[in-house]
Amino acid sequence: MSAAAPASFTLYVDAQFTSPYALSVFVTLREKGIPFALRTVDLDQGAHHESGFAEMSITRRVPTLVHGDFTLSESSAIDEYLEAISPDVPVYPSEVRDRARARQVQAWLRSDLGALREDRSTQVIFYGPSDRPLSDAGYAAASKLIAIAQSLLPDGRLSLFDTWCIADVDLAVMINRLVYNDDVVPQALAEYARRQFLRPAVQEWMAMPRPPFATQALPPQHDGAQAAQGNVA
C-alpha cells in the first residue's frame, strides 16, 4: 500500500453476504493483504436508505468502501481504486490490452444477462437451488453466457489470462449461478468456476454466517430485484 494512503479501511456489504459485487471487493482486499473492518447493511430492512449510510455512500449501495475520509461505491470502481493505491499485489493483468479486457468482462457481467440474474440469483449459491426452471429469456441469457465464456476460455483454460485476475472471480460467480442449480454447463466451464471458488478469500466469503433465508418474504430473483432498485452495486 502506498505510504501516503490513509491506513483505515472499512467495507460495507449486504447482511446476507450474497452480493457478487461485495464479494469481488472482499476478494480484492484479501488478495492484496489490506487490513479492513467489515460492516453489514441490511438491505431487506432498507438500512441503505437510513441517514447514516445514505450520507456516507453517494449511491446508497453496497459494496461501499471507506478509506480514511474518502468513500466509494460501485464494485468495479472500488477494485480499480484499490489496484491504483496498492499495486504491489495486482488483481488486474499488467498488459494494457489484457487489463482492458478484464474490465470489459467486469462491465459486461454487471450490465447484461439480467434474465439469468433474475432466474438464478446468487441465493442459489449461498442458500440452495431454485426449483424454478429457466425462463425463455433466462435460457437465452445462459446460452449467451456460456458462448462468451467459452470464447474467453478456449481449450479448457482455468484463468482468463496467464495469471489470475479479479475478473475470474466475477465470471465464476455468474457461471456458478447455473452450476449450483444443476443447470447444464459444459464441463470445462464448470471446472473453471469450481477452481476459482477454491481461492481462500472466496472460501472465506462462502463460510460467512448468514441469516435464515426468508423464502416467504423474498422472490427468487431477490438480488436482481435489489439491483433494479439500486441497492447492490
Side-chain angles (χ1 to χ4, degrees):
M1 185 170 61
S2 168
S8 61
F9 291 83
T10 301
L11 177 64
Y12 288 84
V13 304
D14 61 304
Q16 291 73 32
F17 297 102
T18 60
S19 167
Y21 316 117
L23 167 60
S24 182
V25 175
F26 180 88
V27 170
T28 294
L29 286 162
R30 284 287 190 250
E31 292 284 343
K32 289 180 173 294
I34 298 174
F36 64 98
L38 188 64
R39 301 285 183 267
T40 59
V41 181
D42 194 336
L43 304 180
D44 296 331
Q45 298 300 317
H48 53 297
H49 292 306
E50 295 175 0
S51 60
F53 186 77
E55 291 169 3
M56 176 186 63
S57 176
I58 292 175
T59 57
R60 304 184 183 185
R61 301 189 348 153
V62 297
T64 288
L65 181 73
V66 178
H67 184 195
D69 60 358
F70 179 64
T71 64
L72 186 66
S73 56
E74 307 306 317
S75 57
S76 56
I78 299 172
D79 286 345
E80 293 180 26
Y81 173 71
L82 292 170
E83 185 81 338
I85 66 170
S86 180
D88 292 345
V89 182
V91 297
Y92 285 98
S94 58
E95 200 280 321
V96 64
R97 292 186 176 182
D98 287 348
R99 189 162 63 248
R101 183 73 70 203
R103 289 169 171 165
Q104 178 190 21
V105 169
Q106 287 188 301
W108 168 60
L109 292 170
R110 286 156 173 76
S111 62
D112 198 2
L113 308 175
L116 175 57
R117 284 186 274 122
E118 289 188 5
D119 285 359
R120 297 291 181 259
S121 81
T122 50
Q123 289 168 357
V124 305
I125 297 174
F126 302 111
Y127 282 99
S130 168
D131 58 4
R132 293 174 51 183
L134 286 168
S135 64
D136 289 346
Y139 180 82
S143 299
K144 180 178 181 180
L145 167 66
I146 289 169
I148 292 175
Q150 287 178 319
S151 72
L152 291 167
L153 298 161
D155 304 319
R157 287 178 61 104
L158 294 176
S159 62
L160 288 166
F161 308 102
D162 290 339
T163 58
W164 173 88
C165 76
I166 189 58
D168 281 305
V169 170
D170 293 342
L171 180 57
V173 170
M174 189 63 80
I175 295 171
N176 273 334
R177 293 171 187 262
L178 298 170
V179 172
Y180 276 68
N181 211 74
D182 292 327
D183 294 307
V184 176
V185 175
Q187 183 177 355
L189 292 184
E191 179 62 13
Y192 161 82
R194 186 188 73 83
R195 292 285 189 95
Q196 294 301 325
F197 268 37
L198 292 178
R199 296 191 78 83
V202 179
Q203 288 291 300
E204 183 181 356
W205 182 269
M206 294 289 289
M208 291 291 185
R210 293 178 171 83
F213 177 38
T215 54
Q216 300 304 313
L218 303 178
Q221 67 273 23
H222 181 53
D223 83 331
Q226 286 178 340
Q229 294 164 10
N231 300 344
V232 181

